[in-house]
């Protein structure tokens, strides 16, 4: 059997696992691993400029490709810097394997240089973690880490490895296990067939149905099955922020995103529905608004891989635990069977027709694409910037975002027709996510158009990654919607704090982003006029091998609407503009 | 409502902190906690008493099951079960109190396991309620120190919690 050191075993195990890229940053406790990586020359390593970016880049890679992302960091500050990225992945159920160096075993607990209790610090934000105890355990631990990260409800797994276990002078027999079995971890592989039959019956009996699909449909690779079922039934579909792309955004049956800044028609349809089919969604507080007022007339079918997500927030009539893809396929089959064997036509055509008329009238009244008119000013409206991005990329781009107004405008105005194209930190809401995530995607998919929609607040949280983009040639396009404010903070201060802009204005402190981009060897563009917007956007995307930083000056006073009324509002209670509400 | 959850846990470093962490992280209450390895040294058996309505207990159970190190979870209070808690209490035992304490201990079928010139240590085992009653029954006696093991429990009859 081949004899390898601990460090070599880590690198070999990653190769054997089929890892394509490692995003990381070296340091004392990880140096044996880095030396093994140098000698192996197999798995490319991307040297980021801050460990937070390593986790976000691995995360972006994972969201776009569906494969687990890998980050490698050192102990102490390397590990703590990675924490925000791990928490981001945890909240959105993204498979990550984060390998952290640790101080030597005999120093653990002695407050050694660059020591931190990584297992303890990461415990509430990981799916699982391992502190490796002896070098012989490395191959099986890495196997388990990938297995746990990528199965069931995916999530980040931390593997913390003390430096002495990776020392080059000690060699051990290496064999990578082909399979793994854990008696305490057995994710369910199918749904309960009795429940699925009941769900089919409830769905077909609905008069005002809606399908509410979340990120779990994308993570669980159930988009084709969802689309097939929705089309068979001709039922309206709404996607959550995390679920955009799970059902095609430009399809007639799509009523838009739901939730706090969801489409009017989506929130209205949810509130007035009689049957909700919730799939891979978790009734987040940004969706439900006041829970006691949530969809008063609706019966709920909830499909999720995680039993703890079911009935966590709202009671559910038919819970179905298991993988969404197989359950949706089975549900489609049951629906078809019951439609064929029913004595009368199901679902009831008249009710459905009436329901669609109602939905269409909501769409006409205040829908984003029909009834709603956003502000007009001499400046560029942020919505127009997103529409221009959509046009320049023909709706085909991978779009990452940071957090704030620009994120909501992008979610609303870019129609995502495919899963895994909309990449944002929905759960944790991490500013600084967009650029490193875009970098991870562009490295994995060099031929794709990758855009990072951001604001001047968010982009400055990981702007150092412009340097990484130079080193590895990541020609992403940065769409900076610049209004000189922290836009979403300003919006809340306008709405709830009588316009007292406490610490949300940058005054004259912003850098010249064009020069900044150029300093890193990229292209910078400043766009101030509406008429320049689309041509500039097209020009930027025509520069295939250049990172382009588009600094787009937008109207600073625009708010994101609709916005659900809080506190004490239901889903139907929304602000539609600065002056109108439902 | 008081519930007793019994958990089979991989006997791994950090496993216990995941369970305890879950309770603090999600705002669940721990009234008592008892944990030790079983006859199979790869497993620990943990008994936790907590309070909550059905919905809350269901969530706790689901979240416990999600912890990778957790092998099995059962809510003992759902069925017939036995529970035992052990109490050690050190009391001031002088003059008339020496006999008084001894009598109370006999009534509760406890044992005096340490006798000092001024103190006794009393050991008592039983359901938590019995232990509470005993402490009340001590009345005027000065209690110097109390330690309890926390509840350990098992389902009655054929039901077995095994991996």
């Amino acid at each position: 059997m081949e004899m390898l050191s601990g460090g070599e075993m880590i690198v070999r195990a990653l190769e054997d696992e089929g890892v394509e890229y490692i995003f990381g940053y070296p340091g004392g406790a990880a140096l044996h691993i880095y030396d093994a990586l140098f000698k192996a020359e197999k798995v490319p390593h991307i040297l980021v400029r801050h460990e937070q970016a390593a986790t976000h880049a691995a995360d972006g890679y994972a969201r776009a490709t569906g494969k687990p992302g890998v980050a490698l960091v050192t102990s102490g500050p390397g590990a703590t810097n990675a924490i925000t990225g791990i928490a981001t992945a945890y909240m959105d159920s993204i498979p990550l394997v984060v390998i952290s160096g640790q101080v030597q075993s005999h120093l653990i607990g002695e407050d050694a240089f660059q020591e931190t209790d990584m297992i303890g610090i990461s415990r509430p934000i990981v799916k699982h973690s391992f502190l490796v105890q002896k070098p012989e355990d490395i191959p099986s631990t890495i196997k388990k880490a990938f297995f746990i990260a990528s199965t069931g409800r995916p999530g980040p797994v931390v593997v913390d490895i003390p430096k002495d276990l990776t020392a080059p002078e000690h060699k051990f027999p290496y064999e990578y296990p082909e399979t793994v079995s854990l008696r305490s971890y057995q994710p369910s592989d199918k749904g309960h067939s009795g429940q699925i039959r009941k769900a089919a019956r409830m769905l077909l009996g609905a008069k005002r149905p809606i399908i509410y699909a979340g990120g779990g449909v994308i993570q669980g690779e159930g988009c084709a099955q969802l689309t097939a079922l929705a089309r068979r039934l001709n039922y309206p579909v709404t996607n959550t922020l995390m679920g955009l792309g799970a059902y095609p955004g430009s399809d007639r049956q799509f009523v838009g995103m739901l939730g706090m800044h969801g489409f009017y028609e989506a929130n209205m349809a949810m509130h007035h529905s009689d049957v909700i089919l919730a799939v891979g969604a978790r009734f987040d507080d940004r969706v439900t608004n006041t829970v006691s007022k949530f969809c008063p007339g609706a019966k709920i079918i909830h499909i999720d891989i995680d039993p703890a997500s079911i009935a966590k927030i709202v009671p559910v009539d038919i819970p179905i635990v298991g993988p969404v893809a197989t359950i949706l396929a089975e549900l489609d089959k049951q629906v078809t069977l019951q439609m064929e064997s029913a004595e009368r036509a199901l679902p009831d055509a008249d009710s459905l027709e009436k329901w669609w008329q109602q939905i269409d009238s909501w769409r006409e009244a205040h829908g984003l694409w029909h009834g709603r008119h956003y502000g007009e000013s001499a400046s560029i409206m942020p919505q127009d910037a997103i529409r221009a991005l959509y046009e320049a990329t023909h709706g085909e781009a991978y779009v990452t975002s940071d957090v704030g107004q620009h994120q909501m405008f992008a979610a609303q105005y870019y129609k995502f027709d495919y899963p895994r194209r909309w990449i944002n930190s929905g759960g944790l809401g991490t500013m600084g996510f967009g650029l490193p995530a875009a970098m991870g995607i562009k490295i994995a998919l060099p031929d794709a158009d990758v855009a990072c929609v951001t604001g001047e607040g968010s982009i400055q949280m990981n702007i150092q990654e412009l340097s990484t983009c130079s080193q590895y040639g990541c020609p992403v396009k940065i769409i900076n919607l610049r209004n000189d404010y922290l836009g979403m903070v300003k919006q809340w201060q306008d709405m709830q704090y009588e316009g007292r802009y406490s610490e949300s204005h940058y005054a004259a402190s912003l850098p010249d982003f064009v020069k900044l981009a150029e300093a890193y060897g990229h292209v910078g563009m400043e766009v101030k006029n509406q008429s320049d917007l689309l041509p500039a956007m097209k020009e930027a995307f025509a520069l295939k091998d250049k990172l382009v930083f588009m600094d787009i000056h937008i109207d600073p006073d625009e708010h994101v609407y609709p916005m659900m009324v809080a506190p004490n509002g239901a889903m139907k209670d929304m602000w539609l503009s600065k002056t109108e509400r439902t | 409502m008081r519930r007793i959850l019994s958990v089979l846990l991989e006997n791994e470093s950090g496993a216990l902190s995941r369970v305890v962490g879950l309770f603090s992280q999600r705002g669940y209450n721990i009234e008592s906690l008892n944990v030790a390895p079983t006859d199979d040294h790869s497993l620990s058996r943990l008994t936790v008493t907590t309070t909550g309505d059905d919905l809350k207990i269901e969530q706790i159970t689901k979240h416990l099951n999600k912890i990778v190190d957790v092998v099995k979870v059962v809510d003992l209070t759902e069925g017939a079960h036995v529970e035992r808690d052990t109490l050690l209490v050190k009391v001031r035992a002088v003059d008339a109190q020496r006999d008084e304490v001894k009598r109370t201990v006999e009534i509760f079928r406890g044992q005096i396991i340490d006798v000092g010139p001024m103190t006794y240590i009393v050991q008592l085992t039983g359901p938590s309620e019995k232990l509470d009653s005993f402490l009340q029954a001590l009345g005027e006696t000065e209690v110097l120190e109390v330690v309890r093991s926390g509840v350990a429990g098992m389902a009655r009859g054929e039901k077995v919690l095994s991996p």
Side-chain angles (χ1 to χ4, degrees):
Chain A
M1 203 180 287
E2 200 177 357
M3 302 295 284
L4 297 178
S5 72
E8 288 163 345
M9 285 200 280
I10 295 168
V11 174
R12 178 65 72 78
L14 295 178
E15 284 171 21
D16 287 344
E17 194 57 47
V19 171
E20 294 177 307
Y21 298 98
I22 300 168
F23 301 90
Y25 204 106
L31 284 183
H32 293 327
I33 308 173
Y34 271 90
D35 193 50
L37 199 59
F38 183 86
K39 289 182 188 152
E41 290 184 333
K42 284 258 180 66
V43 187
H45 177 277
I46 309 298
L47 173 65
V48 294
R49 299 297 179 265
H50 185 291
E51 289 88 347
Q52 184 187 346
T55 46
H56 288 331
D59 178 324
Y61 166 89
R63 290 180 202 235
T65 64
K67 301 173 202 163
V70 177
L72 173 58
V73 299
T74 191
S75 64
T80 55
N81 279 348
I83 289 293
T84 300
I86 298 172
T88 304
Y90 181 72
M91 287 292 272
D92 291 343
S93 311
I94 304 303
L96 281 195
V97 173
V98 179
I99 298 172
S100 53
Q102 181 53 277
V103 299
Q104 299 179 56
S105 318
H106 71 274
L107 294 176
I108 289 179
E110 296 189 355
D111 302 323
F113 175 65
Q114 292 197 327
E115 181 187 357
T116 193
D117 174 11
M118 180 57 165
I119 298 297
I121 259 182
S122 64
R123 201 207 63 238
I125 51 161
V126 293
K127 183 170 173 188
H128 195 55
S129 54
F130 297 95
L131 173 60
V132 184
Q133 310 276 356
K134 46 186 202 295
E136 297 91 315
D137 292 344
I138 289 173
S140 63
T141 305
I142 297 215
K143 182 79 191 174
K144 282 181 204 165
F146 277 91
F147 176 66
I148 292 169
S150 56
T151 52
R153 180 177 181 173
V157 175
V158 164
V159 182
D160 199 32
I161 308 181
K163 186 174 185 181
D164 49 317
L165 272 54
T166 60
E169 58 271 25
H170 306 298
K171 307 269 185 184
F172 305 88
Y174 173 83
E175 190 179 10
Y176 198 61
E178 293 200 342
T179 55
V180 54
S181 100
L182 292 160
R183 64 178 165 185
S184 59
Y185 175 74
Q186 278 145 2
S188 80
D189 56 357
K190 65 195 270 290
H192 189 284
S193 48
Q195 293 287 86
I196 296 173
R197 271 198 301 277
K198 267 166 64 185
R201 209 170 307 131
M202 181 178 279
L203 265 183
L204 287 169
K207 292 194 161 64
R208 298 180 311 279
I210 186 156
I211 300 173
Y212 152 46
V217 179
I218 297 173
Q219 292 295 323
E221 301 288 353
C223 303
Q225 291 82 346
L226 175 81
T227 306
L229 176 68
R231 294 224 166 112
R232 183 174 318 283
L233 290 164
N234 186 28
Y235 284 1
V237 183
T238 176
N239 286 340
T240 66
L241 178 66
M242 292 308 300
L244 292 176
Y247 189 84
S250 52
D251 190 88
R252 187 192 66 87
Q253 278 171 250
F254 186 60
V255 296
M257 177 175 77
L258 82 172
M260 183 174 227
H261 294 295
F263 288 28
Y264 173 77
E265 57 270 43
N267 287 344
M268 292 300 274
M270 281 290 287
H271 184 86
H272 293 95
S273 64
D274 69 342
V275 171
I276 296 173
L277 172 63
V279 196
R282 59 185 177 89
F283 297 84
D284 179 270
D285 54 275
R286 287 296 191 268
V287 163
T288 58
N289 211 352
T290 311
V291 172
S292 57
K293 295 182 181 175
F294 177 73
C295 303
K299 292 218 178 304
I300 299 173
I301 303 162
H302 191 182
I303 302 172
D304 205 287
I305 188 81
D306 179 8
S309 281
I310 292 177
K312 182 175 71 174
I313 311 287
V314 294
V316 166
D317 298 279
I318 303 180
I320 309 174
V321 176
V324 292
T326 51
I327 293 173
L328 284 171
E330 178 68 21
L331 184 58
D332 193 21
K333 217 161 77 187
Q334 279 301 324
V335 161
T336 314
L337 276 174
Q338 292 185 23
M339 281 165 93
E340 283 166 359
S341 63
E343 287 168 9
R344 61 193 171 88
L346 285 175
D348 181 62
D350 284 349
S351 311
L352 193 57
E353 175 59 28
K354 255 193 236 156
W355 181 227
W356 270 115
Q357 280 172 7
Q358 172 67 72
I359 289 170
D360 285 338
S361 77
W362 283 325
R363 259 182 185 158
E364 288 304 318
H366 301 291
L368 229 46
W369 299 98
H370 304 275
R372 184 172 135 64
H373 298 284
Y374 44 85
E376 283 179 23
S377 79
S379 326
I380 296 172
M381 298 309 292
Q383 296 92 336
D384 287 329
I386 303 299
R387 296 176 85 150
L389 171 66
Y390 182 82
E391 201 178 326
T393 57
H394 315 288
E396 302 274 333
Y398 287 78
V399 179
T400 74
S401 91
D402 276 300
V403 172
Q405 283 186 317
H406 64 268
Q407 177 190 25
M408 292 301 122
F409 289 129
Q412 290 179 333
Y413 286 88
Y414 200 101
K415 294 181 195 173
F416 293 94
D417 280 339
Y418 318 96
R420 302 195 178 281
R421 299 292 172 101
W422 166 240
I423 313 280
N424 84 132
S425 165
L428 195 67
T430 309
M431 292 171 72
F433 173 80
L435 176 56
M439 207 166 74
I441 299 165
K442 189 67 185 173
I443 284 166
L445 305 163
D447 299 328
D449 279 334
V450 181
C452 164
V453 176
T454 185
E456 67 276 28
S458 290
I459 192 67
Q460 292 190 88
M461 283 210 187
N462 268 321
I463 199 156
Q464 76 285 346
E465 297 308 315
L466 286 174
S467 173
T468 313
C469 290
S470 308
Q471 185 169 353
Y472 298 97
C474 293
V476 302
K477 312 300 177 215
I478 296 170
I479 315 297
N480 185 41
L481 301 186
R482 177 217 182 117
N483 57 7
D484 288 16
Y485 282 93
L486 290 172
M488 191 59 93
V489 173
K490 176 179 181 287
Q491 174 166 345
W492 282 57
Q493 289 170 337
D494 280 330
M495 294 175 77
Q496 295 182 18
Y497 301 91
E498 297 166 323
R500 292 185 296 277
Y501 300 136
S502 179
E503 302 302 317
S504 57
H505 188 223
Y506 288 113
S509 68
L510 289 174
D512 180 333
F513 286 113
V514 172
K515 280 190 188 152
L516 186 75
E518 287 168 359
Y520 282 105
H522 305 307
V523 174
M525 285 184 185
E526 194 171 41
V527 185
K528 288 184 162 170
N529 299 313
Q530 177 73 36
S531 56
D532 297 336
L533 182 60
L534 188 58
M537 199 72 85
K538 286 181 171 165
E539 190 189 334
F541 281 91
L543 294 169
K544 288 281 174 207
D545 56 353
K546 282 286 181 191
L547 183 151
V548 182
F549 193 116
M550 300 190 72
D551 190 22
I552 303 174
H553 294 245
I554 56 161
D555 186 323
D557 292 320
E558 179 64 336
H559 287 177
V560 182
Y561 293 109
M563 181 169 177
M564 289 198 304
V565 174
N568 302 322
M571 283 192 85
K572 68 176 171 52
D573 302 319
M574 287 168 271
W575 285 101
L576 300 170
S577 72
K578 287 183 185 173
T579 50
E580 306 158 82
R581 55 168 285 184
T582 54
Chain B
M1 192 182 149
R2 176 172 172 273
R3 302 292 192 108
I4 305 170
L5 303 179
S6 205
V7 181
L8 268 187
L9 190 65
E10 295 287 357
N11 193 4
E12 298 271 354
S13 74
L16 177 60
S17 72
R18 291 181 215 278
V19 172
V20 176
L22 165 68
F23 278 78
S24 61
Q25 183 184 342
R26 298 200 179 259
Y28 305 140
N29 179 35
I30 294 181
E31 280 189 357
S32 82
L33 178 69
N34 168 291
V35 58
T38 64
D39 56 328
D40 173 351
H41 284 277
S42 69
L43 288 171
S44 292
R45 173 93 173 231
L46 180 148
T47 312
V48 57
T49 53
T50 184
T51 47
D53 55 19
D54 287 352
L55 213 67
K56 193 165 193 177
I57 300 300
E58 191 185 324
Q59 273 302 309
I60 294 177
T61 310
K62 284 173 172 177
H63 280 294
L64 280 171
N65 271 312
K66 266 178 81 173
I67 295 175
V68 171
D69 286 329
V70 167
V71 182
K72 280 251 168 81
V73 183
V74 64
D75 178 356
L76 290 179
T77 22
E78 274 185 350
H81 65 281
V82 289
E83 56 164 290
R84 288 293 177 271
D85 195 351
T86 293
L87 164 81
L88 298 181
V89 55
K90 186 179 284 181
V91 294
R92 170 88 52 213
V94 287
D95 309 329
Q97 288 293 327
R98 275 184 102 77
D99 277 348
E100 180 62 32
V101 171
K102 201 158 164 270
R103 263 200 303 279
T104 315
V105 170
E106 277 163 14
I107 293 168
F108 279 85
R109 297 177 201 212
Q111 290 157 297
I112 295 172
I113 57 170
D114 180 73
V115 179
M118 315 283 277
T119 58
Y120 286 154
I121 295 177
V122 179
Q123 172 190 304
L124 187 64
T125 297
S128 302
E129 275 185 338
K130 174 178 163 180
L131 273 47
D132 295 340
S133 316
F134 173 73
L135 286 174
Q136 272 185 348
L138 282 175
E140 299 290 294
T141 312
E142 187 185 352
V143 172
L144 299 169
E145 199 179 337
V146 171
V147 59
R148 287 169 77 152
S149 65
V151 172
M154 258 187 199
R156 285 185 186 273
E158 296 292 311
K159 269 195 229 161
V160 170
L161 183 61
S162 63

